[in-house]
Amino acid sequence: MESAVRRTSIIASHLMQSKREVGVASSPVAATSSVKSDLKDFVEIFPLLQDEILRELPLMGIPPAQQDWIRKLLEVNVQGGKMNRGLTVIHSLQYLCEGRSLTRTEVFKALVLGWCVEWLQAFFLVADDIMDQSLTRRGQPCWYRQKHPLSSNPDDKIGNIAINDSFILEACIYRIVKKYFKHEAYYGELLDLFLETSYQTEIGQLLDLTTVPPGGIGDLSAFTLDNYKRIVKYKTAYYSFYLPVALAMMMSGITSQPAYDVAKEILLAMGEYFQIQDDFLDCYGDPAVIGKVGRDIEENKCGWLIIQALARADATQRMQLQQHYGKDNPADVAVVKKIFNEINLPEVFRKYEEESYQSLLAKIKKVRIIPQEVFLTLLAKIYKRSL
């Protein structure tokens, strides 16, 4: 468990007034050996959980070829991310159980729940990539675009089979939770939280896909900040930020609804901040660094950049955005990006990022019902991120 001195330093590093002093690079959290140890422990239990799934398949009479399919499905899609969501469970639990060390069982179970969050993320991403017709994910072709594992023809792809694969990924969560948590008093609450979060995220995906109706390219009237905030809240914030912290709260024995309400208010705001960063990186990030080719412009997304551009564009620029935004053509994309740069959206984003960061710090500073480090540690992971 963190010492009182280190806990104080974590808070202090985020509440300094100097912008120069609050960068993540100087944060004690980012460089501690305990965080590295947590990552090592986290990575090392994935094969155990994978084997729990694969061990059942022969007993079900599943042929070896399909067993290998599922093995590859798990290895390619569940592993390979930044793992921030999964690690948030153990990091939050460490702070919530302040004053004592976690038992080995608590550590193990927190890591298991962290992987369940990563499994949920994999389920969402495999399905999302199909719907968005994305090209790459984590530096390699999206799962649906990868070679069909059972075909000798290199041109045969997994294709729409990936839809069913996403369902398999989701189902794995509940098999793992049942194995390790069915005797816990909070087992029912765990299931409810995962199911509720899945539903919220799926509603968010629907909002994202239908805000602009088919044939709506050129109609920018739906690109409003209210619509955007609604999409982000449901599609990203609940599962990426509230879920892992709420899981740790359940493990720590917190039953007070006001505590969950406080956590939700801060974490949903943090999720919005994170998604706006993601929108910026989709356009301005290096695909080699972020692990994917941004396509928000081509896909006519109701994103933060286009909303900010419309709020600042003159009549000529607005007309050009209507003509070129949402078209899957490099020349059209180039026109849109040129306008983004003319309006100086990178500077608009930098100002937003700093203001939002300071606003989150102010909210966190007022929290008394939960250790502030739960939120500060998570904020440190995403402030001024480049991937």
Side-chain angles (χ1 to χ4, degrees):
M1 196 60 190
E2 310 295 338
S3 69
V5 172
R6 178 170 174 252
R7 291 185 56 220
T8 301
S9 70
I10 290 171
I11 297 175
S13 72
H14 288 274
L15 299 183
M16 291 185 217
Q17 308 238 338
S18 168
K19 190 199 266 187
R20 178 180 59 80
E21 293 176 300
V22 296
V24 169
S26 64
S27 167
V29 177
T32 58
S33 60
S34 64
V35 172
K36 293 178 182 178
S37 176
D38 290 339
L39 176 60
K40 180 175 179 289
D41 292 343
F42 189 64
V43 170
E44 285 180 350
I45 74 160
F46 175 77
L48 170 66
L49 300 179
Q50 182 185 44
D51 286 347
E52 294 285 358
I53 300 298
L54 298 175
R55 192 182 303 128
E56 296 178 333
L57 300 178
L59 303 177
M60 297 168 64
I62 305 303
Q66 283 71 35
Q67 293 179 41
D68 289 341
W69 182 296
I70 293 176
R71 181 189 306 277
K72 184 175 181 182
L73 169 69
L74 301 183
E75 290 174 350
V76 170
N77 295 289
V78 182
Q79 297 186 109
K82 297 183 289 292
M83 295 180 284
N84 283 338
R85 293 171 179 84
L87 285 167
T88 294
V89 181
I90 181 67
H91 292 160
S92 298
L93 186 63
Q94 288 167 345
Y95 292 121
L96 289 167
C97 295
E98 55 186 344
R100 69 172 179 85
S101 298
L102 299 180
T103 66
R104 291 184 179 182
T105 298
E106 286 173 326
V107 170
F108 177 76
K109 288 193 169 186
L111 296 177
V112 169
L113 285 179
W115 274 114
C116 288
V117 176
E118 294 293 323
W119 241 285
L120 188 68
Q121 158 93 334
F123 157 49
F124 293 147
L125 295 184
V126 167
D128 183 68
D129 286 342
I130 301 168
M131 288 180 268
D132 287 347
Q133 290 294 287
S134 297
L135 302 176
T136 59
R137 173 70 64 182
R138 295 171 177 169
Q140 60 183 335
C142 296
W143 176 248
Y144 80 96
R145 297 183 67 243
Q146 293 196 19
K147 181 184 176 300
H148 194 298
L150 305 184
S151 175
S152 59
N153 184 347
D155 294 329
D156 287 340
K157 307 300 181 186
I158 292 171
N160 286 339
I161 300 172
I163 298 171
N164 188 66
D165 288 343
S166 73
F167 301 156
I168 293 174
L169 290 168
E170 181 191 28
C172 289
I173 297 167
Y174 299 101
R175 304 191 77 79
I176 293 170
V177 170
K178 181 179 179 181
K179 177 172 179 62
Y180 291 104
F181 295 91
K182 66 181 177 181
H183 298 303
E184 297 288 352
Y186 54 87
Y187 176 55
E189 284 75 15
L190 275 184
L191 294 178
D192 185 64
L193 180 59
F194 274 107
L195 290 168
E196 180 73 9
T197 304
S198 296
Y199 180 66
Q200 289 163 333
T201 308
E202 288 151 7
I203 291 295
Q205 178 75 344
L206 177 65
L207 292 169
D208 187 36
L209 294 171
T210 59
T211 296
V212 179
I217 294 175
D219 179 5
L220 307 181
S221 60
F223 292 169
T224 67
L225 202 54
D226 284 344
N227 282 341
Y228 177 78
K229 287 175 176 285
R230 189 180 303 112
I231 293 168
V232 169
K233 175 182 177 181
Y234 289 103
K235 184 178 178 180
T236 300
Y238 273 108
Y239 95 87
S240 295
F241 288 85
Y242 178 68
L243 171 63
V245 174
L247 290 171
M249 292 171 69
M250 286 181 181
M251 278 197 67
S252 70
I254 294 175
T255 58
S256 166
Q257 188 57 47
Y260 286 92
D261 292 341
V262 167
K264 184 180 294 184
E265 179 185 358
I266 292 174
L267 294 165
L268 292 185
M270 205 178 293
E272 181 179 300
Y273 169 69
F274 175 87
Q275 184 58 53
I276 290 172
Q277 289 177 316
D278 212 51
D279 287 5
F280 180 79
L281 292 172
D282 185 272
C283 181
Y284 290 100
D286 181 352
V289 175
I290 65 175
K292 64 179 181 177
V293 177
R295 284 182 51 83
D296 284 359
I297 294 172
E298 292 93 325
E299 292 165 10
N300 204 34
K301 290 289 187 179
C302 178
W304 188 82
L305 292 178
I306 184 63
I307 291 170
Q308 297 303 315
L310 290 171
R312 293 165 171 79
D314 60 30
T316 300
Q317 290 169 327
R318 188 179 186 89
M319 182 178 66
Q320 289 178 320
L321 289 171
Q322 289 174 324
Q323 291 173 346
H324 298 282
Y325 192 82
K327 294 183 178 178
D328 195 351
N329 181 294
D332 291 294
V333 173
V335 171
V336 173
K337 289 187 175 182
K338 180 174 179 290
I339 296 171
F340 284 179
N341 288 328
E342 289 172 354
I343 297 172
N344 200 7
L345 286 188
E347 181 57 32
V348 173
F349 169 75
R350 280 188 285 271
K351 182 178 178 183
Y352 161 81
E353 183 172 42
E354 189 59 34
E355 289 176 350
S356 294
Y357 180 74
Q358 295 301 330
S359 174
L360 283 165
L361 286 180
K363 289 181 180 180
I364 293 169
K365 192 175 180 180
K366 297 176 182 177
V367 173
R368 296 292 180 270
I369 198 169
I370 300 170
Q372 294 178 10
E373 300 95 323
V374 170
F375 308 111
L376 293 173
T377 304
L378 188 52
L379 185 58
K381 294 178 182 179
I382 63 172
Y383 179 57
K384 290 187 179 292
R385 68 189 179 97
S386 60
L387 73 161

